[in-house]
Amino acid sequence: MKILFCQLRNHGDIIRTFPLMDAVKSVHPDWFIGFTCYPEMVETCGLCESIDFIFEQPRLAPVGDTQDGTRILDCSILNDSATQVKKIEFDIYVDLHGVFQSAMFGAICNIKTRLARSAETAKDGASLFYTDICHIQHKEINRMERHFLVINKLFPEIVPAEKSTDAEKKVIICPGSSKKGKLKRWNLSRYIELSNKINKDYKVIFVLGTEDIDIERQLKATTDNEVVVCDTWQQVEKQMQAAALVIGNDAAHIHLAVWKNIPAIEICGPLSPTINGIWKYGKGETIYFEERCKCENLWKGKCDFGHRCLEQISVERVLNVVDKYLQ
């Protein structure tokens, strides 16, 4: 069996597909697993050893001159990627994204069986391209769990793989986020206060990514704890290895810890803690302000409610959860 998965979103969404990749390989070790993503996500996909081959897929761009609406989109940019995929002759295409480009790609690659979720939680009419549809009508489902619901439509035997981890006396704190997701960050001063109150038997290490350089100087000036900037996901993974606990925002670093089955505490701000929080097969907890707000300008870096969803989460509340995992 040759199966091609597609996810065209960001690092965190890519990483949240990895439990499914591992489960497929665990149950069916002889299956060939392909994965298609945007070029900038290839390195991230390389973290998952269950993926046998990664196919780059360029972003579609609208046509400049629509010629009275007769030309809407130029799909010729996908020709090379589709040609490469066709050579493999995949049996099944699983669209884990659910937008026009991700749905169409499986069809233009001539993959006969194309599986994804129904129109209620897909976009752009994506479900018109699928041959098999998993009916998921509600959005408030954890992303990792939703991927398993989709695959179980055809393969009910695929279940999350069990993982065991060793733990050393170190705590990793990841206070950053992507540039677009800065409103998902808990206040840095609270992370510093939290680090100072963590059990002194544990070494605290702040781990930043290349998009977090703006807080590196402030951290180094205000904490005696080690601050590490990682240029690659492999470096992040190495820092997290054998950690007793990982603490961070609703961002890719936490999703990486969850995938690796490392105990994690996610401090969740404006996005849904159900969709983006720690899934039921993981270790850890999601902390969030119960009175949810709908910040319409999140990805523009503007908050309509004074960052209330994160400002209402105190250091003491997080510390109480931390102590549960560092006993």
Side-chain angles (χ1 to χ4, degrees), residues 196-259:
N196 293 334
K197 293 183 176 181
I198 287 176
N199 190 320
K200 297 305 180 183
D201 292 334
Y202 290 82
K203 179 181 181 180
V204 176
I205 304 172
F206 283 92
V207 173
L208 307 178
T210 54
E211 295 187 85
D212 308 323
I213 301 300
D214 57 319
I215 60 178
E216 178 187 8
R217 181 178 299 178
Q218 183 180 350
L219 267 177
K220 289 184 175 179
T222 52
T223 180
D224 294 327
N225 294 305
E226 184 178 357
V227 179
V228 178
V229 178
C230 298
D231 296 324
T232 67
W233 284 109
Q234 285 77 12
Q235 292 174 354
V236 175
E237 184 179 25
K238 185 177 180 180
Q239 288 293 329
M240 288 188 181
Q241 188 174 4
L245 186 64
V246 177
I247 309 167
N249 305 313
D250 169 17
H253 289 70
I254 286 295
H255 300 316
L256 177 61
V258 173
W259 167 47

Side-chain angles (χ1 to χ4, degrees), residues 53-72:
F53 200 89
I54 303 166
F55 299 87
E56 293 185 14
Q57 185 180 155
R59 295 174 183 266
L60 289 176
V63 174
D65 180 5
T66 65
Q67 297 181 9
D68 295 327
T70 60
R71 297 187 64 221
I72 304 299

